[in-house]
Amino acid sequence: MIPPPEDDGTPRPAPHDDTRPPASGDVPPLTIRDLTVRFAGLTALDAVSLTVEPGTVHAVIGPNGAGKSTCFNVLSGVYRATSGSVRFGPHELTGMRPHRIAELGVARIFQNLALPPRATVADSLLLGRHRLTRAGFLGAGLRLPSAAREDRVHRERVREIAAFVGIEDQLGLPAGALPYGQRKLAELARALCMEPRLLLLDEPVAGMTAAERRRTAAVIAGVREGLGISIVLVEHDMGVVMRLADTVTVLDFGRRIASGTPGDVQNDPAVVRAYLGQEAAGA
């Protein structure tokens, strides 16, 4: 049986940006239909279908090699699907370049840390504001008043988001100087700085201590509850998955073998077999 969830604590109120409409009214569904990905004859995803309802946490789980990362790479434009469809509201994402997908409000954090180690945390988070920046290179270089005003707005928003995830005191430090758990939180903060409508979290608590996992899970819960954005979560920590997810889809060898509420999926015989093996499941 999949382990029960841990207590993830009480999240702080999520930051709110008064310049944007409420996220819950601005988030379309993510609809994946018959998604297939093949590499030189190897089928990594085989006709996978699922729908991420607006403002929910949808977990995609499965054993190693099940196709979870391949699915994420298609959603973010890193891989192209062999066949099938991925739609974010009216937009077809299959075949779209990663920067165009990001412009639609899709943000992703990866398994591996990707912050520039010598840049300050504040400057690293500002990278997430790039798609929202209106001042051009010339205006910023000449320090025009409009560019200076915009820079102040973005830096204030960075401070708000850093405070929400609990790293406000580290904004002036080099990103590479942060402990591992705080660097993972900074990655999450940078994604939130994009003001996303859909957040793709690829193993956000991997490698963390139990306390760091609880803290990060509380932040993710606060994002969903306070901002109303949709979250697709890939995570091996089943306690975190069962605590956060509204819906869980299980992949095994590239196929969807189960989908439903955490409680339903937790006790599904096919899921138990996928994780524990047929012999262990019947023992």
Side-chain angles (χ1 to χ4, degrees):
M1 182 172 177
I2 297 174
E6 296 178 315
D7 180 8
D8 291 314
T10 303
R12 294 177 289 269
H16 177 66
D17 184 355
D18 290 330
T19 65
R20 287 175 54 81
S24 58
D26 192 34
V27 179
L30 174 72
T31 307
I32 300 172
R33 289 291 175 265
D34 298 322
L35 185 63
T36 298
V37 179
R38 295 190 181 95
F39 301 106
L42 173 67
T43 301
L45 288 177
D46 189 359
V48 170
S49 296
L50 63 91
T51 299
V52 179
E53 298 295 342
T56 66
V57 176
H58 194 122
V60 179
I61 67 172
N64 289 332
K68 306 182 298 296
S69 293
T70 299
C71 183
F72 258 38
N73 284 332
V74 173
L75 297 183
S76 55
V78 178
Y79 291 167
R80 291 201 174 193
T82 304
S83 62
S85 172
V86 178
R87 299 192 67 85
F88 188 47
H91 302 283
E92 176 63 53
L93 302 189
T94 49
M96 191 178 287
R97 293 184 178 274
H99 74 276
R100 287 287 297 120
I101 294 175
E103 289 171 359
L104 295 175
V106 179
R108 176 182 180 178
I109 68 166
F110 292 81
Q111 296 178 29
N112 299 322
L113 295 170
L115 293 174
R118 293 184 176 83
T120 65
V121 175
D123 285 342
S124 296
L125 268 57
L126 277 170
L127 292 174
R129 307 294 294 176
H130 176 72
R131 81 176 186 92
L132 306 170
T133 300
R134 300 292 176 260
F137 177 78
L138 182 61
L142 295 176
R143 299 185 180 181
L144 298 179
S146 59
R149 285 194 299 271
E150 185 180 43
D151 183 69
R152 286 194 297 271
V153 169
H154 287 312
R155 288 186 180 275
E156 177 57 31
R157 185 62 176 151
V158 162
R159 281 193 292 272
E160 290 176 359
I161 292 172
F164 171 64
V165 304
I167 59 169
E168 185 178 18
D169 292 342
Q170 283 73 46
L171 283 173
L173 297 177
L178 297 185
Y180 176 81
Q182 290 187 340
R183 276 184 286 164
K184 293 280 281 189
L185 285 172
E187 292 272 14
L188 175 57
R190 182 171 64 171
L192 291 176
C193 281
M194 291 178 60
E195 307 290 354
R197 299 188 294 166
L198 174 65
L199 187 58
L200 308 177
L201 301 181
D202 195 353
E203 298 193 29
V205 304
M208 291 185 174
T209 65
E212 289 170 338
R213 289 198 301 271
R214 287 193 294 270
R215 178 181 179 187
T216 302
V219 171
I220 296 170
V223 170
R224 188 267 308 274
E225 294 165 10
L227 297 181
I229 68 177
S230 303
I231 298 173
V232 183
L233 172 68
V234 166
E235 182 53 61
H236 285 289
D237 187 319
M238 290 300 101
V240 170
V241 169
M242 296 300 153
R243 167 67 175 84
L244 291 177
D246 300 292
T247 304
V248 179
T249 293
V250 188
L251 302 180
D252 191 30
F253 293 108
R255 296 191 174 206
R256 190 184 81 169
I257 61 170
S259 190
T261 66
D264 291 341
V265 167
Q266 186 176 15
N267 298 301
D268 189 301
V271 177
V272 175
R273 284 195 298 272
Y275 274 93
L276 302 179
Q278 181 68 53
E279 183 177 346

PDB file of all heavy atoms in Angstrom, residues 248-279:
ATOM      1  N   VAL A 248      -4.918  12.195  -9.087  1.00  0.00           N
ATOM      2  CA  VAL A 248      -3.656  11.501  -9.318  1.00  0.00           C
ATOM      3  C   VAL A 248      -3.814  10.628 -10.560  1.00  0.00           C
ATOM      4  O   VAL A 248      -4.772   9.860 -10.665  1.00  0.00           O
ATOM      5  CB  VAL A 248      -3.248  10.624  -8.118  1.00  0.00           C
ATOM      6  CG1 VAL A 248      -1.935   9.900  -8.408  1.00  0.00           C
ATOM      7  CG2 VAL A 248      -3.131  11.457  -6.847  1.00  0.00           C
ATOM      8  N   THR A 249      -2.882  10.773 -11.498  1.00  0.00           N
ATOM      9  CA  THR A 249      -2.803   9.887 -12.654  1.00  0.00           C
ATOM     10  C   THR A 249      -1.546   9.047 -12.518  1.00  0.00           C
ATOM     11  O   THR A 249      -0.470   9.577 -12.237  1.00  0.00           O
ATOM     12  CB  THR A 249      -2.763  10.688 -13.969  1.00  0.00           C
ATOM     13  OG1 THR A 249      -4.028  11.345 -14.153  1.00  0.00           O
ATOM     14  CG2 THR A 249      -2.507   9.771 -15.159  1.00  0.00           C
ATOM     15  N   VAL A 250      -1.679   7.743 -12.726  1.00  0.00           N
ATOM     16  CA  VAL A 250      -0.554   6.816 -12.562  1.00  0.00           C
ATOM     17  C   VAL A 250      -0.151   6.281 -13.925  1.00  0.00           C
ATOM     18  O   VAL A 250      -0.978   5.785 -14.681  1.00  0.00           O
ATOM     19  CB  VAL A 250      -0.928   5.651 -11.628  1.00  0.00           C
ATOM     20  CG1 VAL A 250       0.314   4.806 -11.324  1.00  0.00           C
ATOM     21  CG2 VAL A 250      -1.540   6.164 -10.330  1.00  0.00           C
ATOM     22  N   LEU A 251       1.150   6.396 -14.219  1.00  0.00           N
ATOM     23  CA  LEU A 251       1.711   5.854 -15.449  1.00  0.00           C
ATOM     24  C   LEU A 251       2.579   4.642 -15.125  1.00  0.00           C
ATOM     25  O   LEU A 251       3.223   4.589 -14.077  1.00  0.00           O
ATOM     26  CB  LEU A 251       2.571   6.903 -16.170  1.00  0.00           C
ATOM     27  CG  LEU A 251       1.908   8.224 -16.564  1.00  0.00           C
ATOM     28  CD1 LEU A 251       2.920   9.122 -17.271  1.00  0.00           C
ATOM     29  CD2 LEU A 251       0.683   8.000 -17.438  1.00  0.00           C
ATOM     30  N   ASP A 252       2.604   3.705 -16.044  1.00  0.00           N
ATOM     31  CA  ASP A 252       3.497   2.557 -15.930  1.00  0.00           C
ATOM     32  C   ASP A 252       3.861   2.109 -17.342  1.00  0.00           C
ATOM     33  O   ASP A 252       2.975   1.847 -18.157  1.00  0.00           O
ATOM     34  CB  ASP A 252       2.824   1.414 -15.158  1.00  0.00           C
ATOM     35  CG  ASP A 252       3.805   0.311 -14.799  1.00  0.00           C
ATOM     36  OD1 ASP A 252       5.004   0.616 -14.613  1.00  0.00           O
ATOM     37  OD2 ASP A 252       3.378  -0.847 -14.695  1.00  0.00           O
ATOM     38  N   PHE A 253       5.147   2.071 -17.636  1.00  0.00           N
ATOM     39  CA  PHE A 253       5.635   1.727 -18.978  1.00  0.00           C
ATOM     40  C   PHE A 253       4.948   2.576 -20.049  1.00  0.00           C
ATOM     41  O   PHE A 253       4.588   2.092 -21.122  1.00  0.00           O
ATOM     42  CB  PHE A 253       5.444   0.237 -19.263  1.00  0.00           C
ATOM     43  CG  PHE A 253       6.301  -0.645 -18.409  1.00  0.00           C
ATOM     44  CD1 PHE A 253       5.730  -1.398 -17.384  1.00  0.00           C
ATOM     45  CD2 PHE A 253       7.672  -0.725 -18.615  1.00  0.00           C
ATOM     46  CE1 PHE A 253       6.520  -2.208 -16.576  1.00  0.00           C
ATOM     47  CE2 PHE A 253       8.456  -1.538 -17.818  1.00  0.00           C
ATOM     48  CZ  PHE A 253       7.897  -2.273 -16.800  1.00  0.00           C
ATOM     49  N   GLY A 254       4.767   3.874 -19.741  1.00  0.00           N
ATOM     50  CA  GLY A 254       4.245   4.808 -20.720  1.00  0.00           C
ATOM     51  C   GLY A 254       2.744   4.822 -20.881  1.00  0.00           C
ATOM     52  O   GLY A 254       2.215   5.614 -21.665  1.00  0.00           O
ATOM     53  N   ARG A 255       2.043   3.960 -20.146  1.00  0.00           N
ATOM     54  CA  ARG A 255       0.581   3.913 -20.249  1.00  0.00           C
ATOM     55  C   ARG A 255      -0.073   4.380 -18.965  1.00  0.00           C
ATOM     56  O   ARG A 255       0.468   4.181 -17.867  1.00  0.00           O
ATOM     57  CB  ARG A 255       0.112   2.490 -20.560  1.00  0.00           C
ATOM     58  CG  ARG A 255       0.563   1.970 -21.897  1.00  0.00           C
ATOM     59  CD  ARG A 255      -0.150   0.691 -22.252  1.00  0.00           C
ATOM     60  NE  ARG A 255       0.154   0.232 -23.597  1.00  0.00           N
ATOM     61  CZ  ARG A 255      -0.644  -0.515 -24.329  1.00  0.00           C
ATOM     62  NH1 ARG A 255      -1.815  -0.896 -23.832  1.00  0.00           N
ATOM     63  NH2 ARG A 255      -0.290  -0.893 -25.541  1.00  0.00           N
ATOM     64  N   ARG A 256      -1.248   4.960 -19.109  1.00  0.00           N
ATOM     65  CA  ARG A 256      -2.023   5.330 -17.931  1.00  0.00           C
ATOM     66  C   ARG A 256      -2.716   4.083 -17.397  1.00  0.00           C
ATOM     67  O   ARG A 256      -3.474   3.425 -18.123  1.00  0.00           O
ATOM     68  CB  ARG A 256      -3.085   6.376 -18.287  1.00  0.00           C
ATOM     69  CG  ARG A 256      -3.758   6.991 -17.076  1.00  0.00           C
ATOM     70  CD  ARG A 256      -4.863   7.931 -17.454  1.00  0.00           C
ATOM     71  NE  ARG A 256      -6.094   7.204 -17.772  1.00  0.00           N
ATOM     72  CZ  ARG A 256      -7.279   7.783 -17.934  1.00  0.00           C
ATOM     73  NH1 ARG A 256      -7.401   9.090 -17.849  1.00  0.00           N
ATOM     74  NH2 ARG A 256      -8.340   7.055 -18.218  1.00  0.00           N
ATOM     75  N   ILE A 257      -2.445   3.765 -16.119  1.00  0.00           N
ATOM     76  CA  ILE A 257      -3.060   2.568 -15.541  1.00  0.00           C
ATOM     77  C   ILE A 257      -4.122   2.913 -14.506  1.00  0.00           C
ATOM     78  O   ILE A 257      -4.891   2.030 -14.099  1.00  0.00           O
ATOM     79  CB  ILE A 257      -1.999   1.636 -14.917  1.00  0.00           C
ATOM     80  CG1 ILE A 257      -1.247   2.342 -13.777  1.00  0.00           C
ATOM     81  CG2 ILE A 257      -1.040   1.132 -15.978  1.00  0.00           C
ATOM     82  CD1 ILE A 257      -0.364   1.398 -12.972  1.00  0.00           C
ATOM     83  N   ALA A 258      -4.158   4.164 -14.053  1.00  0.00           N
ATOM     84  CA  ALA A 258      -5.175   4.553 -13.078  1.00  0.00           C
ATOM     85  C   ALA A 258      -5.253   6.073 -13.031  1.00  0.00           C
ATOM     86  O   ALA A 258      -4.280   6.773 -13.323  1.00  0.00           O
ATOM     87  CB  ALA A 258      -4.846   4.007 -11.685  1.00  0.00           C
ATOM     88  N   SER A 259      -6.405   6.581 -12.648  1.00  0.00           N
ATOM     89  CA  SER A 259      -6.585   8.015 -12.447  1.00  0.00           C
ATOM     90  C   SER A 259      -7.794   8.224 -11.557  1.00  0.00           C
ATOM     91  O   SER A 259      -8.812   7.536 -11.715  1.00  0.00           O
ATOM     92  CB  SER A 259      -6.779   8.745 -13.788  1.00  0.00           C
ATOM     93  OG  SER A 259      -6.718  10.148 -13.609  1.00  0.00           O
ATOM     94  N   GLY A 260      -7.682   9.133 -10.604  1.00  0.00           N
ATOM     95  CA  GLY A 260      -8.791   9.389  -9.695  1.00  0.00           C
ATOM     96  C   GLY A 260      -8.321  10.176  -8.483  1.00  0.00           C
ATOM     97  O   GLY A 260      -7.250  10.799  -8.503  1.00  0.00           O
ATOM     98  N   THR A 261      -9.109  10.137  -7.435  1.00  0.00           N
ATOM     99  CA  THR A 261      -8.738  10.824  -6.203  1.00  0.00           C
ATOM    100  C   THR A 261      -7.563  10.092  -5.559  1.00  0.00           C
ATOM    101  O   THR A 261      -7.329   8.903  -5.823  1.00  0.00           O
ATOM    102  CB  THR A 261      -9.908  10.858  -5.224  1.00  0.00           C
ATOM    103  OG1 THR A 261     -10.211   9.515  -4.803  1.00  0.00           O
ATOM    104  CG2 THR A 261     -11.150  11.490  -5.858  1.00  0.00           C
ATOM    105  N   PRO A 262      -6.808  10.791  -4.695  1.00  0.00           N
ATOM    106  CA  PRO A 262      -5.698  10.112  -4.019  1.00  0.00           C
ATOM    107  C   PRO A 262      -6.114   8.837  -3.302  1.00  0.00           C
ATOM    108  O   PRO A 262      -5.421   7.814  -3.369  1.00  0.00           O
ATOM    109  CB  PRO A 262      -5.182  11.173  -3.045  1.00  0.00           C
ATOM    110  CG  PRO A 262      -5.526  12.474  -3.694  1.00  0.00           C
ATOM    111  CD  PRO A 262      -6.849  12.236  -4.376  1.00  0.00           C
ATOM    112  N   GLY A 263      -7.260   8.867  -2.622  1.00  0.00           N
ATOM    113  CA  GLY A 263      -7.711   7.685  -1.899  1.00  0.00           C
ATOM    114  C   GLY A 263      -8.015   6.517  -2.813  1.00  0.00           C
ATOM    115  O   GLY A 263      -7.655   5.365  -2.515  1.00  0.00           O
ATOM    116  N   ASP A 264      -8.676   6.806  -3.938  1.00  0.00           N
ATOM    117  CA  ASP A 264      -8.996   5.730  -4.884  1.00  0.00           C
ATOM    118  C   ASP A 264      -7.735   5.128  -5.485  1.00  0.00           C
ATOM    119  O   ASP A 264      -7.605   3.905  -5.602  1.00  0.00           O
ATOM    120  CB  ASP A 264      -9.899   6.262  -5.997  1.00  0.00           C
ATOM    121  CG  ASP A 264     -11.296   6.602  -5.505  1.00  0.00           C
ATOM    122  OD1 ASP A 264     -11.677   6.106  -4.419  1.00  0.00           O
ATOM    123  OD2 ASP A 264     -12.000   7.373  -6.187  1.00  0.00           O
ATOM    124  N   VAL A 265      -6.817   5.982  -5.894  1.00  0.00           N
ATOM    125  CA  VAL A 265      -5.592   5.510  -6.545  1.00  0.00           C
ATOM    126  C   VAL A 265      -4.708   4.751  -5.563  1.00  0.00           C
ATOM    127  O   VAL A 265      -4.083   3.745  -5.915  1.00  0.00           O
ATOM    128  CB  VAL A 265      -4.838   6.704  -7.165  1.00  0.00           C
ATOM    129  CG1 VAL A 265      -3.418   6.310  -7.565  1.00  0.00           C
ATOM    130  CG2 VAL A 265      -5.601   7.242  -8.375  1.00  0.00           C
ATOM    131  N   GLN A 266      -4.682   5.195  -4.322  1.00  0.00           N
ATOM    132  CA  GLN A 266      -3.825   4.580  -3.314  1.00  0.00           C
ATOM    133  C   GLN A 266      -4.131   3.099  -3.137  1.00  0.00           C
ATOM    134  O   GLN A 266      -3.232   2.300  -2.867  1.00  0.00           O
ATOM    135  CB  GLN A 266      -4.004   5.319  -1.981  1.00  0.00           C
ATOM    136  CG  GLN A 266      -3.072   4.868  -0.878  1.00  0.00           C
ATOM    137  CD  GLN A 266      -3.255   5.707   0.374  1.00  0.00           C
ATOM    138  OE1 GLN A 266      -4.248   6.419   0.512  1.00  0.00           O
ATOM    139  NE2 GLN A 266      -2.311   5.641   1.281  1.00  0.00           N
ATOM    140  N   ASN A 267      -5.396   2.733  -3.299  1.00  0.00           N
ATOM    141  CA  ASN A 267      -5.813   1.352  -3.073  1.00  0.00           C
ATOM    142  C   ASN A 267      -6.101   0.576  -4.357  1.00  0.00           C
ATOM    143  O   ASN A 267      -6.621  -0.537  -4.296  1.00  0.00           O
ATOM    144  CB  ASN A 267      -7.060   1.346  -2.168  1.00  0.00           C
ATOM    145  CG  ASN A 267      -6.775   1.939  -0.803  1.00  0.00           C
ATOM    146  OD1 ASN A 267      -5.912   1.463  -0.081  1.00  0.00           O
ATOM    147  ND2 ASN A 267      -7.504   2.995  -0.447  1.00  0.00           N
ATOM    148  N   ASP A 268      -5.773   1.162  -5.497  1.00  0.00           N
ATOM    149  CA  ASP A 268      -6.023   0.499  -6.775  1.00  0.00           C
ATOM    150  C   ASP A 268      -5.049  -0.671  -6.934  1.00  0.00           C
ATOM    151  O   ASP A 268      -3.834  -0.492  -6.851  1.00  0.00           O
ATOM    152  CB  ASP A 268      -5.840   1.508  -7.911  1.00  0.00           C
ATOM    153  CG  ASP A 268      -6.305   0.956  -9.254  1.00  0.00           C
ATOM    154  OD1 ASP A 268      -5.758  -0.085  -9.681  1.00  0.00           O
ATOM    155  OD2 ASP A 268      -7.187   1.575  -9.874  1.00  0.00           O
ATOM    156  N   PRO A 269      -5.535  -1.885  -7.185  1.00  0.00           N
ATOM    157  CA  PRO A 269      -4.635  -3.048  -7.313  1.00  0.00           C
ATOM    158  C   PRO A 269      -3.586  -2.884  -8.401  1.00  0.00           C
ATOM    159  O   PRO A 269      -2.442  -3.324  -8.238  1.00  0.00           O
ATOM    160  CB  PRO A 269      -5.599  -4.191  -7.638  1.00  0.00           C
ATOM    161  CG  PRO A 269      -6.915  -3.760  -7.085  1.00  0.00           C
ATOM    162  CD  PRO A 269      -6.951  -2.280  -7.261  1.00  0.00           C
ATOM    163  N   ALA A 270      -3.940  -2.226  -9.509  1.00  0.00           N
ATOM    164  CA  ALA A 270      -2.971  -2.029 -10.591  1.00  0.00           C
ATOM    165  C   ALA A 270      -1.832  -1.121 -10.151  1.00  0.00           C
ATOM    166  O   ALA A 270      -0.675  -1.307 -10.549  1.00  0.00           O
ATOM    167  CB  ALA A 270      -3.666  -1.456 -11.827  1.00  0.00           C
ATOM    168  N   VAL A 271      -2.155  -0.137  -9.319  1.00  0.00           N
ATOM    169  CA  VAL A 271      -1.126   0.774  -8.817  1.00  0.00           C
ATOM    170  C   VAL A 271      -0.215   0.048  -7.836  1.00  0.00           C
ATOM    171  O   VAL A 271       1.014   0.190  -7.872  1.00  0.00           O
ATOM    172  CB  VAL A 271      -1.780   2.001  -8.151  1.00  0.00           C
ATOM    173  CG1 VAL A 271      -0.713   2.917  -7.554  1.00  0.00           C
ATOM    174  CG2 VAL A 271      -2.634   2.760  -9.159  1.00  0.00           C
ATOM    175  N   VAL A 272      -0.803  -0.740  -6.961  1.00  0.00           N
ATOM    176  CA  VAL A 272       0.002  -1.504  -6.001  1.00  0.00           C
ATOM    177  C   VAL A 272       0.947  -2.446  -6.734  1.00  0.00           C
ATOM    178  O   VAL A 272       2.122  -2.572  -6.391  1.00  0.00           O
ATOM    179  CB  VAL A 272      -0.916  -2.277  -5.033  1.00  0.00           C
ATOM    180  CG1 VAL A 272      -0.087  -3.164  -4.107  1.00  0.00           C
ATOM    181  CG2 VAL A 272      -1.763  -1.312  -4.214  1.00  0.00           C
ATOM    182  N   ARG A 273       0.447  -3.114  -7.788  1.00  0.00           N
ATOM    183  CA  ARG A 273       1.299  -4.020  -8.563  1.00  0.00           C
ATOM    184  C   ARG A 273       2.440  -3.263  -9.235  1.00  0.00           C
ATOM    185  O   ARG A 273       3.570  -3.742  -9.283  1.00  0.00           O
ATOM    186  CB  ARG A 273       0.469  -4.758  -9.614  1.00  0.00           C
ATOM    187  CG  ARG A 273      -0.389  -5.879  -9.061  1.00  0.00           C
ATOM    188  CD  ARG A 273      -0.896  -6.781 -10.168  1.00  0.00           C
ATOM    189  NE  ARG A 273      -1.745  -6.078 -11.122  1.00  0.00           N
ATOM    190  CZ  ARG A 273      -3.058  -5.936 -10.992  1.00  0.00           C
ATOM    191  NH1 ARG A 273      -3.683  -6.443  -9.925  1.00  0.00           N
ATOM    192  NH2 ARG A 273      -3.771  -5.295 -11.904  1.00  0.00           N
ATOM    193  N   ALA A 274       2.144  -2.058  -9.765  1.00  0.00           N
ATOM    194  CA  ALA A 274       3.172  -1.285 -10.459  1.00  0.00           C
ATOM    195  C   ALA A 274       4.302  -0.878  -9.520  1.00  0.00           C
ATOM    196  O   ALA A 274       5.470  -0.865  -9.902  1.00  0.00           O
ATOM    197  CB  ALA A 274       2.549  -0.048 -11.098  1.00  0.00           C
ATOM    198  N   TYR A 275       3.943  -0.560  -8.284  1.00  0.00           N
ATOM    199  CA  TYR A 275       4.954  -0.095  -7.327  1.00  0.00           C
ATOM    200  C   TYR A 275       5.645  -1.237  -6.598  1.00  0.00           C
ATOM    201  O   TYR A 275       6.832  -1.156  -6.274  1.00  0.00           O
ATOM    202  CB  TYR A 275       4.318   0.854  -6.303  1.00  0.00           C
ATOM    203  CG  TYR A 275       4.271   2.283  -6.769  1.00  0.00           C
ATOM    204  CD1 TYR A 275       3.152   2.786  -7.420  1.00  0.00           C
ATOM    205  CD2 TYR A 275       5.351   3.137  -6.564  1.00  0.00           C
ATOM    206  CE1 TYR A 275       3.111   4.105  -7.868  1.00  0.00           C
ATOM    207  CE2 TYR A 275       5.315   4.448  -6.998  1.00  0.00           C
ATOM    208  CZ  TYR A 275       4.197   4.934  -7.650  1.00  0.00           C
ATOM    209  OH  TYR A 275       4.164   6.234  -8.079  1.00  0.00           O
ATOM    210  N   LEU A 276       4.910  -2.291  -6.285  1.00  0.00           N
ATOM    211  CA  LEU A 276       5.443  -3.333  -5.452  1.00  0.00           C
ATOM    212  C   LEU A 276       5.711  -4.642  -6.194  1.00  0.00           C
ATOM    213  O   LEU A 276       6.424  -5.516  -5.687  1.00  0.00           O
ATOM    214  CB  LEU A 276       4.494  -3.621  -4.282  1.00  0.00           C
ATOM    215  CG  LEU A 276       4.179  -2.435  -3.366  1.00  0.00           C
ATOM    216  CD1 LEU A 276       3.211  -2.864  -2.277  1.00  0.00           C
ATOM    217  CD2 LEU A 276       5.441  -1.861  -2.772  1.00  0.00           C
ATOM    218  N   GLY A 277       5.131  -4.790  -7.367  1.00  0.00           N
ATOM    219  CA  GLY A 277       5.283  -6.028  -8.116  1.00  0.00           C
ATOM    220  C   GLY A 277       4.155  -6.995  -7.788  1.00  0.00           C
ATOM    221  O   GLY A 277       3.572  -6.967  -6.701  1.00  0.00           O
ATOM    222  N   GLN A 278       3.809  -7.850  -8.727  1.00  0.00           N
ATOM    223  CA  GLN A 278       2.691  -8.778  -8.562  1.00  0.00           C
ATOM    224  C   GLN A 278       2.854  -9.672  -7.350  1.00  0.00           C
ATOM    225  O   GLN A 278       1.934  -9.876  -6.569  1.00  0.00           O
ATOM    226  CB  GLN A 278       2.552  -9.647  -9.820  1.00  0.00           C
ATOM    227  CG  GLN A 278       1.419 -10.635  -9.767  1.00  0.00           C
ATOM    228  CD  GLN A 278       0.064  -9.962  -9.798  1.00  0.00           C
ATOM    229  OE1 GLN A 278      -0.183  -9.162 -10.693  1.00  0.00           O
ATOM    230  NE2 GLN A 278      -0.807 -10.264  -8.853  1.00  0.00           N
ATOM    231  N   GLU A 279       4.056 -10.194  -7.142  1.00  0.00           N
ATOM    232  CA  GLU A 279       4.259 -11.113  -6.031  1.00  0.00           C
ATOM    233  C   GLU A 279       4.112 -10.419  -4.701  1.00  0.00           C
ATOM    234  O   GLU A 279       3.463 -10.939  -3.774  1.00  0.00           O
ATOM    235  CB  GLU A 279       5.666 -11.749  -6.135  1.00  0.00           C
ATOM    236  CG  GLU A 279       5.938 -12.788  -5.058  1.00  0.00           C
ATOM    237  CD  GLU A 279       7.306 -13.438  -5.231  1.00  0.00           C
ATOM    238  OE1 GLU A 279       7.900 -13.280  -6.306  1.00  0.00           O
ATOM    239  OE2 GLU A 279       7.776 -14.090  -4.284  1.00  0.00           O
TER     240      GLU A 279
END
